[in-house]
Amino acid sequence: DAKTTQPPSMDCAEGRAANLPCNHSTISGNEYVYWYRQIHSQGPQYIIHGLKNNETNEMASLIITEDRKSSTLILPHATLRDTAVYYCIARAPYGNKLVFGAGTILRVKS
Amino acid sequence: GAGVSQSPSNKVTEKGKDVELRCDPISGHTALYWYRQSLGQGLEFLIYFQGNSAPDKSGLPSDRFSAERTGGSVSTLTIQRTQQEDSAVYLCASSPEWYQETQYFGPGTRLLVL
């Protein structure tokens, strides 16, 4: 799996968009970008994934650069409940175990 | 629909005792994974089941750890002769097929070995 790099922490005001960056400059052509988050004392939660097109679901949007070397997870209207560790993972589709890096601690503040 | 469920949610045991942790995956999901997460640490892969194939046990830390999956659904992780370093959150995840990496996690079992 390609290595990913994320900032260790970010703050966001409640109600504002949270933009979480991820670098994956060595990503291979068949590797997807996945985002998970882990709220304190809970299991990891799947958010979104994509290959090269931008993706949107009820939780977030994923913007992948044209060269696929980086991506941004966007939470359009962050709430206090979005405070969590966010993990960006570059994975080929035919793997098994997930490997989480350190992730980004997102603190949403009122 | 119902998500992945795990039981018990918390378990306190004495060193040397055996424990069993249960995972009920999402109905219809053929792949099931066990991980553990020590305090402040990342996920540590333990074992992976896919349909009727032989499980991938490459992450089990010692022969005290074993897991089975009966009928392609419920899984049990057993830790024999528990040690204090086994204290962690044990997480189960399932996915629809092995080639889909969208794994859905349960809430975990918090194990404390005294």
Side-chain angles (χ1 to χ4, degrees):
Chain A
D1 298 341
K3 177 181 168 59
T4 61
T5 304
Q6 299 176 253
S9 65
M10 294 181 63
D11 290 341
C12 178
E14 188 178 20
R16 304 297 295 268
N19 298 281
L20 291 93
C22 179
N23 286 322
H24 31 80
S25 58
T26 61
I27 194 169
S28 300
N30 68 340
E31 288 183 320
Y32 285 72
V33 179
Y34 278 81
W35 284 84
Y36 282 78
R37 73 179 182 183
Q38 191 167 22
I39 296 170
H40 182 62
S41 298
Q42 296 184 22
Q45 179 187 23
Y46 165 77
I47 301 173
I48 199 168
H49 75 284
L51 184 61
K52 53 184 177 181
N53 296 324
N54 297 337
E55 302 288 344
T56 295
N57 63 19
E58 66 277 6
M59 288 184 68
S61 294
L62 174 60
I63 308 298
I64 303 174
T65 59
E66 191 169 346
D67 62 8
R68 302 209 326 121
K69 293 185 176 182
S70 65
S71 60
T72 301
L73 178 74
I74 301 172
L75 308 178
H77 305 287
T79 71
L80 297 178
R81 289 177 293 181
D82 292 321
T83 293
V85 182
Y86 287 77
Y87 298 99
C88 169
I89 305 160
R91 285 287 290 161
Y94 305 110
N96 43 39
K97 59 183 181 289
L98 285 174
V99 178
F100 285 4
T104 295
I105 299 172
L106 176 68
R107 301 184 189 92
V108 181
K109 300 182 175 181
S110 58
Chain B
V4 177
S5 61
Q6 294 186 243
S7 61
S9 54
N10 293 281
K11 177 71 176 179
V12 180
T13 190
E14 295 179 347
K15 178 180 173 181
K17 301 281 189 179
D18 298 351
V19 295
E20 284 190 353
L21 312 179
R22 176 186 168 106
C23 172
D24 284 87
I26 294 172
S27 178
H29 280 195
T30 62
L32 185 148
Y33 313 78
W34 282 98
Y35 298 86
R36 73 177 175 181
Q37 190 171 34
S38 300
L39 188 63
Q41 301 299 310
L43 288 183
E44 177 186 2
F45 167 75
L46 297 177
I47 188 169
Y48 158 68
F49 295 90
Q50 170 53 45
N52 296 320
S53 301
D56 176 356
K57 304 179 182 180
S58 61
L60 295 179
S62 77
D63 59 8
R64 296 186 296 104
F65 288 73
S66 63
E68 62 178 21
R69 189 179 184 192
T70 54
S73 180
V74 172
S75 177
T76 302
L77 177 69
T78 301
I79 309 173
Q80 296 178 309
R81 305 180 302 282
T82 53
Q83 303 294 312
Q84 289 182 333
E85 59 264 29
D86 299 334
S87 296
V89 177
Y90 288 81
L91 291 158
C92 176
S94 69
S95 67
E97 294 287 348
W98 67 276
Y99 55 83
Q100 289 193 27
E101 269 303 318
T102 305
Q103 297 183 20
Y104 298 90
F105 284 81
T109 293
R110 286 155 186 76
L111 175 66
L112 177 61
V113 182
L114 300 177

